[in-house]
Amino acid sequence: MKRALLIGIGIIILAVAVGWGYLTYRQWTSYRTPIPKEAGSVIQISVDRLVWQLIRDNGWKTPSLSGRADTALSLTPGRMGIETPANLFVYTLPEFPADHYFGVVQVNDSVALFRALQPGTDKPGIRQNGITFFRMGRFTLGYHAGRAAFAFSAKGNKADTVQLSARLHQLLSGENMIPVSQSDFYPLRQQRTHVAWLGKWGRLGLDFEKGLIRLSGKLSVTPPADRSLVRPDFSAGNALSLWLNTGLDQVLEGQTYRIETHTLHGDSLLGYYRGGLALEWRGSTTQRDTTITYGYNDDFELEEQVTVVENTIPELVAAVNTDHVGLHGYLIRQGIITPGAPQLNRSVFPLYEVNIRPLGDTALHLYTGSTPLDSPPPGHASDVFYLRMNFRQLTDQQAVAIPAVYTAALNELEVFGRLTDTAAGRTGELLISGMLRMVADQGPSANSLTQLIGAMQAMP
């Protein structure tokens, strides 16, 4: 009996050791994946960690919003004929817009892949220079010899087709590539989050947990010019609250912004900015606008007809700490503000009227209501960044045309940012922490990734 027990324990230990060794080997080999030498930023999707998280949270079966019962493993690329990697690396490239992401995967069943890419049809993809291309809206994929290179536009921006095809061909050929383990992105190996982003601004990570998505990271920022400014104590009833008290050098420096026929220079704006930006979406308000039409009167004479229309719009309130006298004059010179009028030029922001006025001696106040509102009282001194979005309130606002289906799984986003004490020179480190809470329709124990996938299945 004792011998059998020892043998059983030995088998268990051996199985655990083999499993651990296999997973460790998969991780090690994944960092030998080639990526372009000129990649601007890299996103690492830890497939192994995600799959095990789904199994722990939901078991082997995960009910979806579409009414089907799928296994957790069906969320992996296996059913598409794609070899499931330990880590999938997706990257941006300098010659394409920042919303374009690229990657390469191994294919072990091309028939299954082609079937998944073209459901319900036997029409093959377009073949060029030995590569089979599939183009579906924002997604483009090129297949050759057991490998597939893909490109995806998050915002739907279109890239030049010839340039895109040439880049996918280069990714498949391995030209000008380097293993992740030999690149500047090798620190991704130290990240333990389900999704990790690493770029010139710093790093961010996402973890998909039960009922929420956890956000963490560290970004390089310019320390605030005035550290005495305190984050406002925003109302919990706001649909959106934003506080920012860091320098904007990295965002504005050297930039030029064109709005219709008007131009704003980032360096000029930096000269007036003193740090401290607060923005609130407090609900809805109404604005009156006039429309002019022409019609015939009783004498069949063409005459002008003026109609007053009441529009429901977001009630937005913003305050920025700035040299408001100098900034006000600059905005007038650039045509952003009409001389003598306390509003932004409607040609700049045609959606609705935005009023503008000085707030004390060192700030500028912008608001869409008929009368200015008091700024929220001071709150937390340690936060130099704060963002809160209540998706339920956003979709309930009459002034916003956001279909509820697009935020069906989302409840509230709250993010905090605090500066580290080890700022060097003009650059500091902003520690980011926050969470995106999901709705509880599937119960608080449902994994957030499962909820997101279910919500996407329900989209029209």
Side-chain angles (χ1 to χ4, degrees):
M1 182 66 181
K2 184 177 180 181
R3 181 180 179 184
L5 180 61
L6 292 175
I7 292 176
I9 294 174
I11 293 175
I12 293 174
I13 294 175
L14 179 61
V16 171
V18 170
W20 178 84
Y22 171 69
L23 293 176
T24 302
Y25 175 76
R26 277 174 55 83
Q27 289 290 324
W28 178 76
T29 56
S30 71
Y31 290 98
R32 300 176 64 184
T33 301
I35 62 173
K37 292 180 179 179
E38 68 274 31
S41 62
V42 173
I43 297 175
Q44 173 184 281
I45 303 173
S46 298
V47 180
D48 281 358
R49 292 190 180 96
L50 270 174
V51 171
W52 284 113
Q53 183 73 41
L54 290 171
I55 292 174
R56 287 197 300 267
D57 289 349
N58 302 322
W60 292 96
K61 295 202 171 187
T62 60
S64 67
L65 293 182
S66 62
R68 299 192 305 268
D70 302 316
T71 66
L73 294 179
S74 70
L75 302 176
T76 67
R79 289 191 176 181
M80 294 182 61
I82 298 174
E83 182 179 315
T84 305
N87 294 291
L88 174 63
F89 298 97
V90 183
Y91 30 82
T92 60
L93 296 170
E95 70 270 30
F96 292 92
D99 74 309
H100 276 66
Y101 298 91
F102 297 79
V104 178
V105 293
Q106 299 292 327
V107 178
N108 51 28
D109 189 343
S110 60
V111 175
L113 176 64
F114 293 175
R115 187 185 302 117
L117 293 174
Q118 294 184 330
T121 177
D122 57 356
K123 181 180 178 181
I126 301 174
R127 192 166 180 81
Q128 298 176 350
N129 300 325
I131 298 177
T132 303
F133 288 97
F134 297 86
R135 293 184 175 90
M136 297 158 289
R138 303 180 179 188
F139 184 79
T140 303
L141 181 141
Y143 170 81
H144 176 70
R147 299 172 72 237
F150 62 87
F152 173 76
S153 173
K155 297 181 180 179
N157 295 327
K158 292 184 178 180
D160 181 77
T161 303
V162 176
Q163 185 184 28
L164 191 61
S165 300
R167 173 54 84 167
L168 294 179
H169 187 282
Q170 184 181 11
L171 292 177
L172 290 173
S173 68
E175 179 184 352
N176 202 32
M177 308 278 275
I178 185 174
V180 175
S181 58
Q182 299 177 21
S183 72
D184 294 336
F185 300 98
Y186 190 53
L188 283 170
R189 186 176 185 180
Q190 301 172 358
Q191 304 302 310
R192 293 294 180 265
T193 55
H194 296 144
V195 178
W197 171 87
L198 183 61
K200 64 178 181 179
W201 303 112
R203 59 173 177 81
L204 291 172
L206 294 177
D207 281 302
F208 296 90
E209 301 179 7
K210 292 182 179 181
L212 61 89
I213 300 174
R214 197 173 298 278
L215 174 68
S216 60
K218 183 183 293 185
L219 302 176
S220 298
V221 298
T222 304
D226 188 352
R227 290 178 178 263
S228 66
L229 295 176
V230 177
R231 191 253 284 186
D233 189 11
F234 294 110
S235 169
N238 286 352
L240 182 147
S241 302
L242 172 66
W243 166 249
L244 180 65
N245 186 30
T246 64
L248 298 179
D249 302 53
Q250 299 178 10
V251 178
L252 297 177
E253 196 170 33
Q255 300 297 316
T256 299
Y257 304 94
R258 291 180 174 83
I259 308 172
E260 296 294 334
T261 59
H262 311 284
T263 301
L264 289 175
H265 301 92
D267 292 334
S268 298
L269 295 175
L270 275 176
Y272 303 115
Y273 179 67
R274 298 293 181 264
L277 170 65
L279 172 65
E280 295 179 273
W281 185 334
R282 296 188 175 184
S284 300
T285 187
T286 58
Q287 283 188 356
R288 291 185 176 182
D289 205 351
T290 57
T291 60
I292 299 176
T293 58
Y294 294 88
Y296 291 95
N297 58 20
D298 294 339
D299 297 326
F300 295 99
E301 296 174 336
L302 190 65
E303 63 179 15
E304 181 181 281
Q305 298 175 350
V306 178
T307 305
V308 178
V309 180
E310 284 195 351
N311 298 316
T312 302
I313 65 167
E315 185 176 26
L316 301 174
V317 181
V320 56
N321 196 38
T322 180
D323 173 10
H324 64 76
V325 175
L327 178 60
H328 191 270
Y330 174 73
L331 295 178
I332 289 178
R333 293 192 299 272
Q334 301 306 112
I336 305 300
I337 299 176
T338 302
Q343 297 96 19
L344 296 184
N345 192 327
R346 288 300 289 267
S347 66
V348 174
F349 199 80
L351 295 178
Y352 33 81
E353 189 175 272
V354 179
N355 302 296
I356 184 169
R357 66 155 189 168
L359 185 64
D361 297 328
T362 59
L364 204 62
H365 202 182
L366 297 94
Y367 55 98
T368 59
S370 58
T371 57
L373 298 173
D374 294 333
S375 298
H380 304 268
S382 60
D383 297 336
V384 296
F385 174 78
Y386 177 77
L387 173 64
R388 178 183 175 272
M389 294 178 64
N390 188 310
F391 293 97
R392 300 300 95 204
Q393 294 177 352
L394 283 175
T395 54
D396 290 342
Q397 295 288 339
Q398 296 180 3
V400 188
I402 301 178
V405 66
Y406 293 109
T407 58
L410 310 180
N411 185 16
E412 182 182 82
L413 171 67
E414 192 169 27
V415 184
F416 302 86
R418 296 177 174 87
L419 283 175
T420 62
D421 296 329
T422 57
R426 297 185 61 200
T427 302
E429 290 184 333
L430 184 67
L431 296 179
I432 296 291
S433 63
M435 62 180 64
L436 173 59
R437 300 176 182 89
M438 317 299 288
V439 296
D441 293 348
Q442 298 186 49
S445 63
N447 184 273
S448 53
L449 180 59
T450 305
Q451 290 183 270
L452 286 178
I453 293 174
M456 288 188 290
Q457 290 175 342
M459 288 183 181

